[in-house]
Structures are given as C-alpha cells and as structure tokens.
Amino acid sequence: MSDKKNVLVLCTGNSCRSQLMHGYLAKFLGDQANVYSAGIETHGVNPKAIQVMHEDGVDIAHHTSNHVDEYAAVPFDYVITVCDNAREACPVFPSSATMLHHNFPDPAKATGTPDKILDQFRAVREQVKTYAQAFMRQYFQ
C-alpha cells in the first residue's frame, strides 16, 4: 500500500483552471501524491493553458480532459474545486476527503486581442501557482 495521497482538482470543463492546478501540484508534490484533474463536463485541454504552463517550465501537453465519473473508485484524500460551478455541481465524495475550494477566474472567457487573452491566462496561471504552493505547504510539509 502506497503512502501517496490522492488529490483531485475539479472544475467545469477540465480544460483550463483544473489543468493548470494539476500541472503545478504534480510538479510540486512529485512522488508524494497522485494528482488527478477532472470536470463535470469535458471540453478538451485548452491550447493556451498548455502554452502558458510551458512558459513556466511545466509540460501539460500530455494531459487529457477527463470526466469526474472516471475516478469514482479512487479514494481521494483531497478534492479541490477551482470554480464555483464545480463546487455547486460537485458529486458527493466519501467523507474522508478534505474538500477545498477556490474560485479562479476562467481564462477561457477572456476577450480582446490575442495578447490580452494570453495575459489573462498568465494571470490565472500565477494565481493557481500561488494557491498550489500554499496547498503544498499546508498539507504536505
């Protein structure tokens, strides 16, 4: 039996915010945790999410957009919802899971020039990175 913790990051479409968080948690926690991300729907991984993570040295190009039901059998230690919609529609997990929530803005809804849209992705990436570091310090030190 592994001592690794199971962490699930949940958002609406598993395309941006949960993918960013998944990438950072996998990087920061390394072999301390199995990190999963999923959505209540699946929208595919957003190419801009892949791009801004690559800029920060994290490769999420291999990630897939997964539906939360795929992980029904996984005993999660932590479930982090990263948007209000996911929290409201979140399936019930066994009570042993620590439920955490932070509503990040959805960069996929950004408008304007391509540069302005990428800036929004970068801003959300930085918020997610800060949260991921705080989560690691609080639960994995």
Side-chain angles (χ1 to χ4, degrees):
M1 186 73 187
S2 163
D3 289 342
K4 279 185 171 185
K5 301 285 190 193
N6 290 318
V7 180
L8 175 66
V9 185
L10 193 61
C11 81
T12 303
N14 194 212
S15 73
C16 293
R17 293 166 287 186
S18 54
Q19 294 288 350
L20 300 174
M21 184 70 74
H22 182 170
Y24 280 125
L25 289 177
K27 177 180 178 174
F28 297 154
L29 298 174
D31 58 7
Q32 296 181 80
N34 298 307
V35 180
Y36 303 82
S37 64
I40 296 156
E41 307 156 12
T42 53
H43 296 166
V45 183
N46 189 300
K48 291 182 185 72
I50 294 171
Q51 179 182 343
V52 299
M53 289 299 279
H54 185 263
E55 291 172 1
D56 198 34
V58 181
D59 180 13
I60 62 167
H62 61 283
H63 284 197
T64 55
S65 185
N66 295 40
H67 193 277
V68 65
D69 291 349
E70 295 175 45
Y71 301 128
V74 178
F76 287 106
D77 298 285
Y78 302 98
V79 176
I80 305 170
T81 50
V82 292
C83 68
D84 287 342
N85 183 46
R87 180 174 63 174
E88 288 156 22
C90 188
V92 175
F93 287 93
S95 58
S96 59
T98 299
M99 303 294 291
L100 302 165
H101 175 71
H102 187 93
N103 187 49
F104 293 97
D106 186 354
K109 290 187 165 60
T111 57
T113 65
D115 283 345
K116 288 250 186 292
I117 292 170
L118 265 181
D119 285 345
Q120 186 60 40
F121 269 84
R122 290 183 186 111
V124 173
R125 176 195 69 198
E126 293 307 309
Q127 292 175 31
V128 167
K129 183 177 186 178
T130 299
Y131 183 94
Q133 290 167 327
F135 171 81
M136 177 188 68
R137 282 192 299 271
Q138 184 169 354
Y139 295 102
F140 283 86
Q141 288 303 331

